[in-house]
Amino acid sequence: MMGRLLPLLVLLGVAACDAAPPRVNPRGQELRAELDQMTKDYSACIDKQLAAVEDLSEPAGNIAIEAVKACKPMRNALRDKVAAFDRSGHPTRAANQSEAVAEASVGVIEKDLREQAVVTIVKRQNMDR
């Protein structure tokens, strides 16, 4: 009996391996790629603002805050895109919930970029001494 079951189990195992992959949401992938690019662009905007700073006598935190503020339109566009991405993944979620998720998500990104900006400015300040 076991001799007959073994080939059947092997065939079932092979059949399971050949199963079609789950369907992927192409719109979700497209939005994710857009989010990745927008995040890179937001970061590049802040880097550009920092590179343009000539007066390094201000505290690094103040300079970083100003650089981040200068890129606020990009931040807002990113937040809107994150909210759209959230709504596509959770269509029954209320709009204000998606907005809250987006604000929190972009807030984390912004915090990291601001901290990186402070480090960049401090390094430049130390080089100028």
Side-chain angles (χ1 to χ4, degrees), residues 36-96:
D36 290 345
Q37 187 59 52
M38 290 176 80
T39 302
K40 288 177 188 173
D41 293 346
Y42 180 38
S43 177
C45 177
I46 294 170
D47 289 344
K48 182 179 175 183
Q49 294 296 319
L50 295 175
V53 173
E54 293 179 13
D55 180 13
L56 297 173
S57 63
E58 290 286 321
N62 291 353
I63 296 171
I65 288 169
E66 290 304 313
V68 170
K69 280 183 185 178
C71 298
K72 189 168 183 161
M74 295 183 94
R75 181 203 191 279
N76 292 343
L78 178 60
R79 185 195 62 227
D80 293 345
K81 187 63 75 170
V82 170
F85 181 76
D86 184 70
R87 283 190 298 275
S88 74
H90 305 281
T92 59
R93 187 175 280 177
N96 63 342

Side-chain angles (χ1 to χ4, degrees), residues 20-40:
R23 271 186 72 173
V24 178
N25 178 353
R27 180 64 182 143
Q29 287 180 330
E30 181 181 303
L31 282 171
R32 182 175 297 276
E34 289 176 34
L35 287 172
D36 290 345
Q37 187 59 52
M38 290 176 80
T39 302
K40 288 177 188 173

